[in-house]
Amino acid sequence: MRTETGLRADEALALDLMAAIRADAEARCAPDRVELVSVTIDVTGADVHGQPEFTARIDRKTRTVLFTGGAARCGDDIVMNATAVYRIVSA
């Protein structure tokens, strides 16, 4: 099933999760910029029901690299996990 944008529901969920992770990364690294280096997305197989909730976390931050990740939840079920690495570019 596709959304209005032509994406499948799981693709849209992955983009929303990555947007939440990036927003958290940008806020934590401001005023410096972040550039995506790599991302891994894992789908858990749990049913997506209701409105998903996104959480982001910082795993490790150095002077030039940010290791981060997050999860998409529907109720108590994690439906998708992601990890990402960002390069921190000085302002």
Side-chain angles (χ1 to χ4, degrees):
M1 181 174 175
R2 296 189 182 270
T3 63
E4 299 108 26
T5 61
L7 297 173
R8 293 176 185 249
D10 57 346
E11 294 167 340
L13 186 66
L15 289 175
D16 289 343
L17 175 55
M18 284 310 304
I21 293 169
R22 183 177 189 100
D24 185 61
E26 289 174 340
R28 304 260 187 133
C29 292
D32 296 334
R33 292 183 303 112
V34 294
E35 295 176 352
L36 184 63
V37 174
S38 72
V39 63
T40 302
I41 297 174
D42 298 310
V43 179
T44 65
D47 288 334
V48 176
H49 55 278
Q51 186 65 30
E53 180 181 317
F54 302 99
T55 57
R57 68 177 189 283
I58 302 298
D59 295 323
R60 184 169 179 233
K61 181 181 176 188
T62 69
R63 187 177 53 79
T64 58
V65 179
L66 180 70
F67 299 88
T68 185
R73 293 178 177 270
C74 287
D76 292 333
D77 298 326
I78 295 176
V79 295
M80 190 174 287
N81 287 304
T83 57
V85 178
Y86 288 95
R87 178 180 302 113
I88 301 171
V89 180
S90 296

